Amino acid sequence: QVQLVESGGGLVQAGGSLRLSCAASGRTFSNCVMGWFRQAPGKEREFVAAGWSGGNTHYADSVKGRFTISRDNAKNMVYLQMNSLEPEDTAVYYCAAQPYGGRWDYWGQGTPVTVSS
């Protein structure tokens, strides 16, 4: 089992920045791919970014160049730095963990991000 707790969401103006944090506990953190997803009102949950313990990352095209995922394996933390935020980034953001060879089985409770125009 992996327990995930997000923090750092809030209200920001377009063009601003936020950093989301996710604290993980339980299963060995380094054996999981860590990811961020988001769900906007009336839309399905979508992938945002993923980070491997070795440093590789992957981003959705919509956030590439603006968002950065990072992880601190020693502290069991994963972060999402969001820059140049747009109103279209408004959503509830979820931290997720995927054990290597598995699926996105573990989810946090979500943290809301609102970007005003």
Side-chain angles (χ1 to χ4, degrees):
Q1 293 292 324
V2 178
Q3 292 78 43
L4 303 170
V5 179
E6 305 97 332
S7 61
L11 174 64
V12 63
Q13 288 188 332
S17 298
L18 278 176
R19 189 177 85 149
L20 305 183
S21 299
C22 174
S25 60
R27 186 179 181 139
T28 304
F29 180 76
S30 60
N31 290 340
C32 294
V33 183
M34 298 302 298
W36 288 95
F37 291 74
R38 67 186 181 186
Q39 186 167 18
K43 296 187 177 181
E44 294 186 353
R45 189 175 299 187
E46 64 176 3
F47 169 79
V48 174
W52 281 254
S53 59
N56 289 343
T57 58
H58 179 62
Y59 298 94
D61 288 343
S62 59
V63 306
K64 203 170 293 183
R66 300 188 298 123
F67 290 12
T68 302
I69 187 171
S70 61
R71 50 191 294 171
D72 185 332
N73 292 327
K75 295 182 178 180
N76 284 9
M77 294 291 295
V78 61
Y79 307 98
L80 185 69
Q81 178 66 44
M82 306 186 294
N83 298 329
S84 302
L85 283 161
E86 304 167 352
E88 293 74 22
D89 296 317
T90 295
V92 177
Y93 283 72
Y94 297 90
C95 178
Q98 179 190 91
Y100 287 137
R103 298 183 292 181
W104 295 105
D105 288 332
Y106 304 103
W107 296 85
Q109 81 287 352
T111 185
V113 171
T114 302
V115 184
S116 63
S117 57

